[in-house]
Amino acid sequence: MSAIDEARKLYQGEIVAVPRPDCLRLLAISRIGRVACNSAGGPLVMPVNGRARGTDVYLRLREGSLLAESLRDGHASYEVDGFDDFHQVGWSVLLRGRARWISADELPEHRSEWPAPWAAGERDVWVQIIGDDITGRRLMP
């Protein structure tokens, strides 16, 4: 092993599981994530604005978009994370479940918990991902 490899090993962190209550908290405070699903052309992963409430995530998408159509009904994942490159630490939470289009009447009661898109344009499709499995990992120094 080279001296560089030995030095790198000294600074490598340990991966630990994030407890479920902390996963739910991290989901709730995150506004940007990535959604993954199957599309007609194969796997699709896209950054999105999302809002979590409990074990569910809500997205607001453009009607007719590949992502909206792929999330009409089926399985999907939503992932949020945070990193500190300098200290080489970070965390990641993954929610897996079933996606479905919903009406605005099915959104959480409080408007502050609705997803607010950053990109311009109409976003008239509301999607709920019902979380069946929620896991998290943290890289510790």
Side-chain angles (χ1 to χ4, degrees), residues 124-136:
D124 295 332
V125 173
W126 298 95
V127 175
Q128 176 187 28
I129 302 175
I130 303 163
D132 295 326
D133 183 39
I134 300 170
T135 57

PDB file of all heavy atoms in Angstrom, residues 124-136:
ATOM      1  N   ASP A 124     -49.048  21.559 -12.745  1.00  0.00           N
ATOM      2  CA  ASP A 124     -50.422  21.257 -12.369  1.00  0.00           C
ATOM      3  C   ASP A 124     -50.645  19.816 -11.934  1.00  0.00           C
ATOM      4  O   ASP A 124     -51.767  19.455 -11.576  1.00  0.00           O
ATOM      5  CB  ASP A 124     -51.361  21.560 -13.537  1.00  0.00           C
ATOM      6  CG  ASP A 124     -51.388  23.050 -13.861  1.00  0.00           C
ATOM      7  OD1 ASP A 124     -51.159  23.854 -12.948  1.00  0.00           O
ATOM      8  OD2 ASP A 124     -51.623  23.387 -15.029  1.00  0.00           O
ATOM      9  N   VAL A 125     -49.613  18.986 -11.986  1.00  0.00           N
ATOM     10  CA  VAL A 125     -49.771  17.589 -11.587  1.00  0.00           C
ATOM     11  C   VAL A 125     -49.210  17.420 -10.178  1.00  0.00           C
ATOM     12  O   VAL A 125     -48.039  17.723  -9.920  1.00  0.00           O
ATOM     13  CB  VAL A 125     -49.042  16.633 -12.564  1.00  0.00           C
ATOM     14  CG1 VAL A 125     -49.078  15.204 -12.052  1.00  0.00           C
ATOM     15  CG2 VAL A 125     -49.656  16.728 -13.951  1.00  0.00           C
ATOM     16  N   TRP A 126     -50.054  16.952  -9.281  1.00  0.00           N
ATOM     17  CA  TRP A 126     -49.638  16.676  -7.910  1.00  0.00           C
ATOM     18  C   TRP A 126     -49.383  15.182  -7.787  1.00  0.00           C
ATOM     19  O   TRP A 126     -50.204  14.363  -8.193  1.00  0.00           O
ATOM     20  CB  TRP A 126     -50.731  17.084  -6.923  1.00  0.00           C
ATOM     21  CG  TRP A 126     -51.041  18.546  -6.947  1.00  0.00           C
ATOM     22  CD1 TRP A 126     -52.026  19.165  -7.657  1.00  0.00           C
ATOM     23  CD2 TRP A 126     -50.365  19.578  -6.236  1.00  0.00           C
ATOM     24  NE1 TRP A 126     -52.004  20.516  -7.422  1.00  0.00           N
ATOM     25  CE2 TRP A 126     -50.994  20.797  -6.549  1.00  0.00           C
ATOM     26  CE3 TRP A 126     -49.284  19.587  -5.345  1.00  0.00           C
ATOM     27  CZ2 TRP A 126     -50.592  22.014  -6.022  1.00  0.00           C
ATOM     28  CZ3 TRP A 126     -48.881  20.793  -4.810  1.00  0.00           C
ATOM     29  CH2 TRP A 126     -49.525  21.991  -5.154  1.00  0.00           C
ATOM     30  N   VAL A 127     -48.221  14.823  -7.230  1.00  0.00           N
ATOM     31  CA  VAL A 127     -47.858  13.422  -7.074  1.00  0.00           C
ATOM     32  C   VAL A 127     -47.563  13.157  -5.602  1.00  0.00           C
ATOM     33  O   VAL A 127     -46.883  13.945  -4.944  1.00  0.00           O
ATOM     34  CB  VAL A 127     -46.609  13.064  -7.923  1.00  0.00           C
ATOM     35  CG1 VAL A 127     -46.161  11.636  -7.659  1.00  0.00           C
ATOM     36  CG2 VAL A 127     -46.895  13.275  -9.403  1.00  0.00           C
ATOM     37  N   GLN A 128     -48.071  12.052  -5.123  1.00  0.00           N
ATOM     38  CA  GLN A 128     -47.780  11.596  -3.770  1.00  0.00           C
ATOM     39  C   GLN A 128     -46.988  10.302  -3.880  1.00  0.00           C
ATOM     40  O   GLN A 128     -47.368   9.405  -4.625  1.00  0.00           O
ATOM     41  CB  GLN A 128     -49.080  11.333  -3.008  1.00  0.00           C
ATOM     42  CG  GLN A 128     -48.867  10.771  -1.619  1.00  0.00           C
ATOM     43  CD  GLN A 128     -50.176  10.356  -0.964  1.00  0.00           C
ATOM     44  OE1 GLN A 128     -51.143   9.990  -1.643  1.00  0.00           O
ATOM     45  NE2 GLN A 128     -50.218  10.419   0.347  1.00  0.00           N
ATOM     46  N   ILE A 129     -45.873  10.234  -3.151  1.00  0.00           N
ATOM     47  CA  ILE A 129     -45.150   8.974  -3.020  1.00  0.00           C
ATOM     48  C   ILE A 129     -45.412   8.491  -1.601  1.00  0.00           C
ATOM     49  O   ILE A 129     -45.032   9.150  -0.625  1.00  0.00           O
ATOM     50  CB  ILE A 129     -43.642   9.130  -3.278  1.00  0.00           C
ATOM     51  CG1 ILE A 129     -43.396   9.695  -4.677  1.00  0.00           C
ATOM     52  CG2 ILE A 129     -42.938   7.773  -3.109  1.00  0.00           C
ATOM     53  CD1 ILE A 129     -41.935  10.000  -4.973  1.00  0.00           C
ATOM     54  N   ILE A 130     -46.090   7.374  -1.501  1.00  0.00           N
ATOM     55  CA  ILE A 130     -46.458   6.801  -0.208  1.00  0.00           C
ATOM     56  C   ILE A 130     -45.297   5.946   0.263  1.00  0.00           C
ATOM     57  O   ILE A 130     -45.007   4.902  -0.318  1.00  0.00           O
ATOM     58  CB  ILE A 130     -47.746   5.972  -0.342  1.00  0.00           C
ATOM     59  CG1 ILE A 130     -48.865   6.852  -0.893  1.00  0.00           C
ATOM     60  CG2 ILE A 130     -48.131   5.344   0.999  1.00  0.00           C
ATOM     61  CD1 ILE A 130     -50.037   6.082  -1.443  1.00  0.00           C
ATOM     62  N   GLY A 131     -44.601   6.412   1.288  1.00  0.00           N
ATOM     63  CA  GLY A 131     -43.389   5.743   1.753  1.00  0.00           C
ATOM     64  C   GLY A 131     -43.662   4.432   2.461  1.00  0.00           C
ATOM     65  O   GLY A 131     -44.305   4.404   3.503  1.00  0.00           O
ATOM     66  N   ASP A 132     -43.169   3.352   1.881  1.00  0.00           N
ATOM     67  CA  ASP A 132     -43.270   2.026   2.501  1.00  0.00           C
ATOM     68  C   ASP A 132     -41.999   1.669   3.258  1.00  0.00           C
ATOM     69  O   ASP A 132     -42.037   0.954   4.241  1.00  0.00           O
ATOM     70  CB  ASP A 132     -43.510   0.951   1.434  1.00  0.00           C
ATOM     71  CG  ASP A 132     -44.844   1.114   0.734  1.00  0.00           C
ATOM     72  OD1 ASP A 132     -45.811   1.544   1.386  1.00  0.00           O
ATOM     73  OD2 ASP A 132     -44.908   0.811  -0.471  1.00  0.00           O
ATOM     74  N   ASP A 133     -40.878   2.161   2.760  1.00  0.00           N
ATOM     75  CA  ASP A 133     -39.578   1.818   3.336  1.00  0.00           C
ATOM     76  C   ASP A 133     -38.739   3.094   3.392  1.00  0.00           C
ATOM     77  O   ASP A 133     -38.534   3.739   2.363  1.00  0.00           O
ATOM     78  CB  ASP A 133     -38.893   0.756   2.460  1.00  0.00           C
ATOM     79  CG  ASP A 133     -37.574   0.295   3.028  1.00  0.00           C
ATOM     80  OD1 ASP A 133     -37.476   0.134   4.258  1.00  0.00           O
ATOM     81  OD2 ASP A 133     -36.628   0.095   2.233  1.00  0.00           O
ATOM     82  N   ILE A 134     -38.284   3.460   4.579  1.00  0.00           N
ATOM     83  CA  ILE A 134     -37.482   4.669   4.752  1.00  0.00           C
ATOM     84  C   ILE A 134     -36.217   4.300   5.511  1.00  0.00           C
ATOM     85  O   ILE A 134     -36.289   3.765   6.625  1.00  0.00           O
ATOM     86  CB  ILE A 134     -38.267   5.758   5.515  1.00  0.00           C
ATOM     87  CG1 ILE A 134     -39.536   6.118   4.737  1.00  0.00           C
ATOM     88  CG2 ILE A 134     -37.395   6.986   5.737  1.00  0.00           C
ATOM     89  CD1 ILE A 134     -40.496   6.988   5.498  1.00  0.00           C
ATOM     90  N   THR A 135     -35.076   4.558   4.872  1.00  0.00           N
ATOM     91  CA  THR A 135     -33.792   4.244   5.496  1.00  0.00           C
ATOM     92  C   THR A 135     -32.850   5.431   5.340  1.00  0.00           C
ATOM     93  O   THR A 135     -33.029   6.264   4.448  1.00  0.00           O
ATOM     94  CB  THR A 135     -33.138   3.008   4.845  1.00  0.00           C
ATOM     95  OG1 THR A 135     -32.980   3.252   3.437  1.00  0.00           O
ATOM     96  CG2 THR A 135     -33.983   1.761   5.052  1.00  0.00           C
ATOM     97  N   GLY A 136     -31.863   5.489   6.205  1.00  0.00           N
ATOM     98  CA  GLY A 136     -30.886   6.554   6.119  1.00  0.00           C
ATOM     99  C   GLY A 136     -29.505   6.081   6.513  1.00  0.00           C
ATOM    100  O   GLY A 136     -29.360   5.099   7.250  1.00  0.00           O
TER     101      GLY A 136
END
